[in-house]
């Protein structure tokens, strides 16, 4: 990964809608050479997709819950069954298998506490193999660096 690839990634991370002509000018390439570099980043998996950052509060999702879940076993088939089930829950936006006292940490978006309670009752409480569920609610999201800034800070 050379300096130009890194620069292209940073520019696209900051604005995925940036025109190739502008990116090419910023990194000192022709538009066609820049397009080839972007395509190479996409095909290699360095760029896995493009998307918009949505204002979930503005869209009516006022509650963000961080949910720690402990399962009864660590058997691979039980983990896979849990992961399949949790991926079908509409409010879950992240699911991570974690180390420590819990097995999984979920990030859930809900319209309000009543909506979260419904998700808990209808979905979380019915997930296979669950022994404990501990929910915490985000009071304020503190602005931090972007993923691109964190990924390229040491470079």
């Amino acid at each position: 990964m050379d300096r130009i690839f890194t620069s292209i990634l940073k520019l696209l991370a900051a604005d995925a809608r940036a025109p190739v002509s502008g990116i090419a000018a910023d990194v000192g390439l022709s538009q066609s050479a820049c397009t080839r570099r972007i395509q190479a980043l996409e095909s290699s998996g360095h760029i896995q997709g493009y998307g918009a950052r949505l204002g979930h509060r503005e869209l009516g999702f006022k509650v963000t819950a961080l949910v720690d879940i402990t399962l009864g076993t660590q058997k691979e088939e039980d983990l896979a069954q849990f992961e399949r089930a949790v991926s079908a829950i509409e409010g879950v936006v992240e699911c991570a298998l974690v180390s420590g006292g819990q097995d999984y940490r979920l990030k859930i978006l809900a319209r309000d506490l009543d909506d979260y309670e419904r998700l808990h009752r209808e979905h979380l409480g019915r997930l296979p193999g669950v022994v404990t569920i501990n929910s915490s609610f985000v009071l304020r999201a503190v602005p931090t660096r972007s993923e691109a800034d964190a990924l390229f800070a040491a470079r």
Side-chain angles (χ1 to χ4, degrees), residues 65-125:
L66 303 176
V67 181
D68 294 327
I69 295 181
T70 305
L71 302 181
T73 73
Q74 290 286 309
K75 290 190 251 175
E76 193 59 42
E77 58 269 14
D78 293 336
L79 299 177
Q81 183 183 15
F82 174 85
E83 290 171 11
R84 280 191 303 277
V86 82
S87 69
I89 301 172
E90 73 269 9
V92 176
V93 295
E94 290 179 23
C95 175
L97 178 63
V98 297
S99 63
Q102 304 76 239
D103 295 311
Y104 286 91
R105 171 158 289 177
L106 310 180
K107 180 178 178 183
I108 297 177
L109 299 180
R111 295 191 177 283
D112 52 32
L113 286 175
D114 290 336
D115 188 35
Y116 177 76
E117 189 272 332
R118 179 193 60 77
L119 286 169
H120 191 287
R121 183 182 67 252
E122 294 177 5
H123 299 287
L124 299 180

Side-chain angles (χ1 to χ4, degrees), residues 44-56:
S44 67
H46 287 87
I47 296 175
Q48 297 181 349
Y50 298 90
R53 288 184 297 274
L54 305 178
H56 60 270

Side-chain angles (χ1 to χ4, degrees), residues 3-15:
R3 178 193 60 78
I4 293 175
F5 275 123
T6 301
S7 296
I8 291 170
L9 286 172
K10 286 180 182 179
L11 290 166
L12 285 172
D15 181 6

